[in-house]
Amino acid sequence: MSDYDILVVGAGPAGSTFARYMANKGYKVGVLEKKKEIGLPLQCAGLLGRRIKDLNVLPEEFILNEVNGAYLHSPSDHVMRVSKKDTQAYVLDRIGYDGYLAEIASAEGAEILLKHKVKSVNSKYGTVKMVNQGHKELTARVIVGADGHSSLVSNSFNESFNTVKASQYLVETSKPMETDFVNLHVNSKISPGFIWSIPLSPTQARIGLFGNHDYQSLKHILSNFMQSQGYLKGSKIIKKYHGEIPVFDNRKNLVNDRTILLGDAASQVKPTTGGGLLIGFACARIAADVVSKSLDNDQTSILKEYESQYKKEFEKELKTQLMVQKTFELLSNEDLDEMFIKLKEKGAEDIISTYGDMDSQSPLVRELLKRGLIFSVLPKVLYRSVSHIWKFF
Ligand SMILES: Cc1cc2nc3c(=O)[nH]c(=O)nc-3n(C[C@H](O)[C@H](O)[C@H](O)COP(=O)(O)OP(=O)(O)OC[C@H]3O[C@@H](n4cnc5c(N)ncnc54)[C@H](O)[C@@H]3O)c2cc1C
């Protein structure tokens, strides 16, 4: 007999949420977390689309700010303002929220084992080896790899992941900012990444970026950026953070024998922004349904349904975002500037405000294509390569 029905590797938001669902259904759940404190260090901008309220619990105390729009900046600072009347996204206290998600999983009966660093998993036999004041081995009927961007569980049956690096500062500004708008800056130097400025209060913001560079170069780009922005002149850096974001990879196997992958470990992230929380939460639900069916019928083959259900729900959207990302990678700063000017002239601010959604970008892309806007603003030399990217849409 196994020690647990389910062992979850990683008490991040995806792992804790899945553990809560399974403990609530009455299964014996263990969560192995290598850190001694959940959620630390912060590795997130904490910006979550409003759909979070449909996908997970979110007590008000973890909401630091609400935003209803964005200023989109080209490299030479041509700006588009897009917004809706109501809240589009929440800015979260991610450290507090991660701790809370683990706490409520534990309240449902999941056993959260801190300072348990998993060293190896055997998918076939359901054994997990770990270090916690010496070496230990535990067994489970199902293992869930929710161990983040460089997942050891994934590496046990997939090629190793590609990730991109991200850096972020918490800054205190000397001048008050608009709190209901985020600022997003594109620049070919970091494409497909971008720079963000997310207000937490009138005088505090998270300023960060991700891109295909080492941390030193990202830091350099961020420092130059801060000096170039009037509202950030004289601002004080309170904290510095960095972290990694998995590159979305739809060739990844999410199921192997009695093991599944969840969240960043499964590269369940939006290709355009690297955001992974909402998809992770949605997949925790799908996983909970499939894993209970598999346990109740004592058939590991049922776990395959997790991958097919995830793909059915997300593949189209994620592929669209991948095409947007690939298109961005082709554009120089001059191209981006020119496109911003043309898009603005052609009324894109209204179209983006109406059809834009930070988590579901295909309705906007479809609308822009339908109106012929994407190709009318692209540099002509890129038509052929961009048509090639979009031929399956
Ligand atoms: C700078 C930055 C900004 C971001 N901003 C946003 C944003 O604004 N919105 C958004 O939606 N997403 C954002 N993301 C992405 C988001 O943080 C991730 O998608 C999210 O944390 C994934 O959750 P997870 O539970 O899958 O993995 P994680 O949060 O990475 O949790 C994995 C857990 O597994 C543990 N673990 C790892 N290996 C082992 C092991 N061998 N044994 C035991 N435990 C282990 C880790 O300690 C960790 O606690 C950002 C990422 C970065 C780096």
Side-chain angles (χ1 to χ4, degrees):
M1 191 165 144
S2 302
D3 299 312
Y4 291 88
D5 291 319
I6 303 139
L7 274 173
V8 181
V9 185
S16 293
T17 299
F18 171 80
R20 177 174 101 236
Y21 293 150
M22 297 312 285
N24 174 269
K25 288 172 189 273
Y27 297 104
K28 188 170 185 214
V29 184
V31 184
L32 305 165
E33 170 55 54
K34 67 179 178 186
K35 293 179 190 165
K36 61 174 193 275
E37 209 167 331
I38 288 166
L40 286 170
L42 175 69
Q43 292 180 328
C44 190
L47 188 70
L48 272 91
R50 64 200 161 120
R51 248 180 22 102
I52 185 176
K53 292 211 166 169
D54 305 326
L55 292 171
N56 213 334
V57 282
L58 175 59
E60 289 294 311
E61 63 186 285
F62 301 110
I63 301 176
L64 301 175
N65 188 20
E66 297 185 15
V67 296
N68 58 4
Y71 291 109
L72 310 175
H73 301 254
S74 81
S76 301
D77 222 18
H78 299 288
V79 183
M80 285 196 276
R81 182 184 189 276
V82 299
S83 69
K84 291 200 201 295
K85 281 200 183 71
D86 46 356
T87 297
Q88 291 305 298
Y90 300 99
V91 187
L92 297 198
D93 161 11
R94 225 340 261 279
I95 297 172
Y97 189 51
D98 281 18
Y100 169 76
L101 291 176
E103 235 172 74
I104 56 175
S106 162
E108 289 289 352
E111 220 178 303
I112 314 265
L113 301 159
L114 298 178
K115 295 196 271 179
H116 279 66
K117 181 172 182 170
V118 171
K119 288 291 193 184
S120 69
V121 295
N122 183 319
S123 294
K124 194 164 173 141
Y125 299 109
T127 45
V128 180
K129 290 188 178 165
M130 70 215 70
V131 183
N132 168 257
Q133 294 168 345
H135 291 264
K136 270 191 191 172
E137 183 173 302
L138 290 170
T139 55
R141 296 168 67 199
V142 172
I143 299 169
V144 178
D147 48 341
H149 57 76
S150 301
S151 168
L152 169 141
V153 183
S154 167
N155 290 346
S156 71
F157 59 92
N158 278 299
E159 279 175 26
S160 74
F161 273 61
N162 278 336
T163 60
V164 286
K165 295 190 166 49
S167 285
Q168 181 172 262
Y169 298 159
L170 173 64
V171 302
E172 189 88 50
T173 60
S174 51
K175 296 180 196 140
M177 293 169 292
E178 250 182 281
T179 52
D180 46 2
F181 273 72
V182 297
N183 285 276
L184 304 175
H185 300 252
V186 292
N187 193 305
S188 65
K189 266 195 220 155
I190 51 168
S191 271
F194 56 91
I195 300 177
W196 62 81
S197 165
I198 298 175
L200 309 183
S201 73
T203 55
Q204 268 203 357
R206 291 179 181 145
I207 317 276
L209 81 174
F210 75 93
N212 216 349
H213 291 280
D214 57 24
Y215 285 128
Q216 199 54 34
S217 314
L218 289 182
K219 223 171 90 183
H220 185 69
I221 297 170
L222 202 52
S223 301
N224 284 346
F225 168 76
M226 286 184 55
Q227 278 161 23
S228 72
Q229 301 297 304
Y231 72 100
L232 292 175
K233 289 246 162 72
S235 58
K236 205 167 93 195
I237 298 172
I238 304 171
K239 273 192 189 131
K240 294 183 177 181
Y241 311 97
H242 61 265
E244 287 180 54
I245 294 176
V247 173
F248 168 71
D249 187 343
N250 59 359
R251 292 162 310 170
K252 186 172 285 295
N253 295 311
L254 302 194
V255 181
N256 183 42
D257 289 322
R258 51 184 73 246
T259 300
I260 67 164
L261 301 176
L262 178 65
D264 273 16
S267 88
Q268 286 162 340
V269 295
K270 290 184 283 178
T272 48
T273 67
L277 283 162
L278 288 200
I279 310 182
F281 291 153
C283 290
R285 264 193 198 163
I286 300 174
D289 289 343
V290 174
V291 172
S292 6
K293 193 169 153 195
S294 158
L295 288 170
D296 294 348
N297 289 283
D298 205 13
Q299 278 180 36
T300 47
S301 60
I302 290 176
L303 293 176
K304 278 278 169 206
E305 289 175 19
Y306 166 61
E307 189 155 357
S308 49
Q309 283 188 32
Y310 156 67
K311 287 199 167 154
K312 196 165 150 213
E313 194 161 325
F314 289 103
E315 198 165 46
K316 204 161 158 229
E317 172 63 27
L318 295 175
K319 275 191 177 162
T320 305
Q321 292 194 22
L322 204 58
M323 292 189 272
V324 173
Q325 187 215 51
K326 287 197 182 311
T327 306
F328 262 92
E329 276 177 292
L330 296 173
L331 302 168
S332 67
N333 278 346
E334 293 70 33
D335 297 336
L336 286 164
D337 279 328
E338 210 157 301
M339 282 178 67
F340 262 67
I341 295 170
K342 288 186 187 162
L343 278 168
K344 209 169 162 171
E345 278 169 10
K346 291 172 188 276
E349 283 171 315
D350 285 344
I351 303 169
I352 302 172
S353 296
T354 308
Y355 294 94
D357 178 312
M358 61 181 276
D359 293 302
S360 175
Q361 293 159 12
S362 39
L364 172 64
V365 168
R366 203 170 298 119
E367 190 60 27
L368 291 173
L369 282 170
K370 198 172 94 192
R371 294 178 186 230
L373 260 182
I374 293 189
F375 283 90
S376 74
V377 300
L378 271 176
K380 291 214 168 34
V381 290
L382 294 178
Y383 272 21
R384 188 190 279 247
S385 3
V386 175
S387 306
H388 188 69
I389 294 173
W390 288 92
K391 69 183 172 204
F392 299 114
F393 190 74

